[in-house]
């Protein structure tokens, strides 16, 4: 189904977690691109239908923990039909939901070695199932998407789960690593008319640059994709119609989604992958075989007008990405050719994965940033990056586990319009001491790495 990528043993290379209909797997990188299945030895055991997964450090101890979203309790003998009596895919409405899983990385406490050298002690990563202790087990859902980040900006990582045909969960973390579901209180459980939708892919970013993170969630055909505006930290309001998605997204069943500044005008655009799960208008496209022609749909790109409202790229001439008609699912973003803009990778049902190079005409400059913590020997997942260029202030987060069932390029990409240079970069490190570090300005149109401890401490840090 899906995957998460991160360095769970702090040895300097990335490891991979794979979700499945059946038992999931954790593969540990053996320093050279060879991977060892360490699922059983690590203490992880997820036998449910795993979908999205994310590595994140929820207790801020320097070790990446793991959150796994589970879907429904599906019996393989189930038979479903469409309105014409033809056999079709089953929906979630008649199936029982399951609980997600939270695994605490206890590698430091399980090793006699120093907290940052357990892997060198030959013991491998160790995880403890804290689903019940954390409070996550209190709710049963039909999860497909996940984002782990600090939504209320209190220094603790929270968890949003997108549930298929049911209300979303927003697990807010409080003291002692305990979580409570506050989705209804914070405006993201249901849409603006109080209905649960078929929530699938999800991204979180500041689309209107007002300083508050917004949420975008993809949905089933005849349910518009939904944009929840951040009204303050951790509070949201459904502003789908005002943003431009109310009508244009209705014909599509949307899964994968990526927030990318394709044209470098300093505003985040949206790419969306589509593909039916119920029969629709039949296509004659040669991109799919006969069976899938009842389910195939084209993908979409929406360009941000600078105020957090969106216009379909289809009305501006379109591109290969939005012309091809297939049954698409996951959408991954990253600068595949290291030329300074973000490209897209699409996975398809019964078809090849497709890599789309970004050839949008560029309206400005760019900067790509990696934030490295040398003590952990890895990229600082969960770090907040604030870039300042004159009056332009843009906030991003290092979080590859967004979208739908995949892991994206962990480098943070900024389009900067006509800014001639950047003045400063502030990194809000994901640690318990609230450390904020500022790095000096410089030239644009380059990739840079910010190393923790080499900038100027503005707050927190060691005494």
């Amino acid at each position: 189904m899906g995957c998460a990528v991160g360095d769970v043993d702090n040895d300097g290379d990335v490891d991979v977690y794979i979700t499945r209909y059946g038992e999931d797997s954790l593969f540990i990188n053996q320093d050279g691109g060879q991977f060892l299945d360490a699922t059983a030895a690590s203490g992880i055991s997820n036998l449910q239908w795993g979908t999205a997964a994310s590595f994140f450090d929820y207790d801020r101890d320097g070790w990446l923990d793991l959150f796994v979203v589970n879907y429904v309790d599906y019996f393989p003998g189930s038979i479903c039909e469409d309105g014409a009596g033809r056999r079709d895919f089953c929906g979630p409405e008649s199936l029982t939901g399951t609980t997600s899983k939270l695994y605490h990385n206890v590698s430091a406490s399980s090793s006699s070695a120093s907290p940052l050298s357990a892997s060198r002690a030959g013991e491998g990563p160790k995880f403890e199932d804290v689903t019940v202790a954390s409070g996550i087990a209190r709710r049963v859902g039909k999860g497909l998407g996940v984002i782990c980040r600090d939504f209320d900006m209190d220094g603790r990582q929270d968890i949003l789960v997108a549930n298929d045909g049911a209300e979303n969960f927003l697990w807010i973390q409080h003291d002692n690593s305990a979580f409570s579901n506050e989705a209804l209180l914070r405006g993201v459980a249901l849409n603006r008319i109080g209905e649960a939708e078929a929530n699938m892919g999800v991204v979180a970013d500041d689309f209107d640059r007002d300083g508050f993170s917004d949420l975008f969630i993809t949905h089933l055909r005849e349910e518009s994709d939904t944009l929840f505006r951040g009204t303050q930290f951790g509070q949201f309001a459904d502003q789908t119609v005002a943003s431009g998605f109310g009508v244009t997204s209705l014909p599509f069943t949307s899964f994968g989604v990526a927030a990318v500044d394709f044209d470098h005008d300093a505003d985040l655009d949206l790419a969306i992958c589509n593909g039916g799960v119920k029969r629709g208008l039949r296509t004659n496209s040669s991109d799919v075989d006969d069976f899938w022609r009842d389910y195939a749909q084209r993908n979409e790109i929406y360009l941000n007008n600078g105020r957090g409202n969106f216009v379909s790229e289809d009305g501006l001439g379109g591109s290969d990405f939005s012309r091809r008609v297939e049954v698409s699912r996951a959408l991954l973003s990253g600068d595949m050719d290291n030329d300074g803009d973000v490209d897209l990778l699409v996975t398809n049902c019964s078809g090849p994965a497709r890599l789309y190079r970004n050839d949008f005409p560029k309206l400005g400059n760019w900067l790509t940033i990696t934030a490295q913590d040398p003590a952990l020997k890895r990229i600082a997942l969960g770090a907040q990056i604030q870039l300042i260029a004159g009056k332009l202030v843009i906030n991003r987060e290092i979080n590859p586990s967004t979208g739908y069932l995949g892991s994206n390029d962990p480098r943070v990409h900024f389009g900067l319009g006509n800014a001639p240079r950047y003045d400063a970069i502030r990194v809000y490190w994901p640690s318990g001491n609230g450390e904020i570090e500022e790095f000096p300005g410089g030239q644009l149109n380059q990739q840079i790495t910010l190393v923790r401890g080499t900038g100027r401490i503005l707050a927190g840090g060691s005494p």
Side-chain angles (χ1 to χ4, degrees):
M1 288 296 296
C3 75
V5 176
D7 185 1
V8 299
D9 50 4
N10 291 340
D11 66 349
D13 48 34
V14 293
D15 312 301
V16 180
Y17 186 82
I18 303 291
T19 63
R20 294 189 180 93
Y21 172 64
E23 186 174 8
D24 296 349
S25 296
L26 174 66
F27 293 95
I28 299 301
N29 194 329
Q30 298 296 290
D31 190 21
Q34 300 297 313
F35 289 83
L36 173 69
D37 187 340
T39 314
S42 70
I44 292 175
S45 177
N46 186 44
L47 304 179
Q48 302 289 340
W49 184 345
T51 54
S54 179
F55 288 121
F56 73 128
D57 184 7
Y58 79 87
D59 60 344
R60 300 172 294 183
D61 66 350
W63 294 86
L64 292 178
D65 309 300
L66 173 65
F67 191 84
V68 182
V69 174
N70 288 317
Y71 194 42
V72 295
D73 188 7
Y74 173 69
F75 176 65
S78 301
I79 302 296
C80 299
E81 298 176 341
D82 66 9
R86 299 172 296 182
R87 187 168 181 178
D88 207 350
F89 294 104
C90 294
E93 60 276 356
S94 61
L95 301 170
T96 303
T98 57
T99 58
S100 298
K101 291 288 191 73
L102 178 60
Y103 294 98
H104 179 211
N105 191 333
V106 294
S107 298
S109 60
S110 65
S111 173
S112 58
S114 66
L116 302 181
S117 61
S119 60
R120 292 196 296 272
E123 299 182 12
K126 302 293 183 184
F127 288 85
E128 177 187 9
D129 187 338
V130 294
T131 307
V132 174
S134 64
I136 299 297
R138 287 198 294 264
R139 295 299 301 266
V140 172
K142 302 174 182 180
L144 286 175
V146 68
I147 290 185
C148 300
R149 63 176 294 161
D150 182 5
F151 283 99
D152 57 357
M153 298 301 289
D154 67 347
R156 302 180 182 90
Q157 296 284 296
D158 311 303
I159 306 165
L160 183 132
V161 177
N163 286 309
D164 188 8
E167 65 180 64
N168 299 312
F169 300 150
L170 180 53
W171 295 103
I172 298 296
Q173 185 182 177
H174 300 288
D175 293 335
N176 303 318
S177 300
F179 293 81
S180 62
N181 177 33
E182 300 181 8
L184 194 60
L185 295 173
R186 295 176 179 271
V188 294
L190 307 166
N191 66 15
R192 68 185 182 90
I193 59 175
E195 292 181 342
E197 298 178 292
N199 305 283
M200 291 180 277
V202 56
V203 291
D205 225 310
D206 185 2
F207 295 109
D208 53 4
R209 296 212 317 262
D210 65 351
F212 301 120
S213 178
D214 311 305
L215 280 169
F216 184 83
I217 303 179
T218 60
H219 293 128
L220 197 67
R221 185 183 68 200
E222 299 178 0
E223 297 177 350
S224 63
D225 297 332
T226 302
L227 179 65
F228 294 97
R229 297 274 192 208
T231 57
Q232 54 184 295
F233 293 127
Q235 292 290 149
F236 301 90
D238 182 348
Q239 296 290 316
T240 302
V241 175
S243 67
F245 290 102
V247 175
T248 57
S249 61
L250 286 176
F252 304 104
T253 292
S254 304
F255 285 90
V257 57
V260 175
D261 186 353
F262 290 110
D263 51 9
H264 295 174
D265 65 349
D267 298 305
L268 284 171
D269 311 303
L270 284 164
I272 303 171
C273 271
N274 300 317
V277 293
K278 298 293 181 183
R279 288 186 175 90
L281 294 176
R282 186 172 178 81
T283 180
N284 293 319
S285 171
S286 60
D287 292 328
V288 291
D289 61 31
D290 183 71
F291 173 82
W292 291 101
R293 289 180 182 175
D294 289 334
Y295 302 90
Q297 300 175 355
R298 66 175 180 84
N299 299 321
E300 303 166 279
I301 286 180
Y302 287 89
L303 298 178
N304 193 329
N305 70 355
R307 299 180 299 276
N309 299 324
F310 294 84
V311 177
S312 172
E313 180 232 13
D314 185 54
L316 304 175
S319 65
D320 285 352
F321 177 84
S322 54
R323 291 192 195 105
R324 194 178 293 275
V325 180
E326 295 178 298
V327 186
S328 301
R329 291 294 185 259
L331 174 62
L332 295 313
S333 63
D335 187 358
M336 311 295 183
D337 50 5
N338 287 322
D339 66 347
D341 56 27
V342 178
D343 312 297
L344 298 173
L345 178 69
V346 177
T347 70
N348 295 296
C349 292
S350 191
R354 298 194 186 274
L355 179 62
Y356 292 92
R357 186 184 63 213
N358 184 345
D359 287 338
F360 272 84
K362 301 304 185 289
L363 303 177
N365 297 309
W366 60 273
L367 192 69
T368 299
I369 298 174
T370 301
Q372 193 84 19
D373 190 333
L376 304 179
K377 300 172 65 175
R378 60 172 174 81
I379 292 175
L381 298 188
Q384 302 277 344
I385 311 293
Q386 183 180 79
L387 188 147
I388 302 167
K391 295 182 179 179
L392 188 63
V393 179
I394 303 178
N395 298 290
R396 298 275 191 274
E397 182 184 54
I398 300 179
N399 188 354
S401 294
T402 66
Y404 179 72
L405 303 187
S407 187
N408 303 288
D409 189 340
R411 296 174 295 181
V412 179
H413 175 267
F414 293 85
L416 290 161
N418 58 9
R421 56 176 282 120
Y422 69 94
D423 299 315
I425 300 172
R426 292 176 180 173
V427 180
Y428 297 71
W429 297 102
S431 57
N433 60 10
E435 181 177 338
I436 304 172
E437 192 170 6
E438 184 174 274
F439 296 83
Q443 300 301 311
L444 298 176
N445 303 320
Q446 62 172 326
Q447 301 183 42
I448 64 173
T449 298
L450 305 177
V451 179
R452 188 173 187 176
T454 62
R456 180 170 64 96
I457 303 296
L458 299 182
S462 301

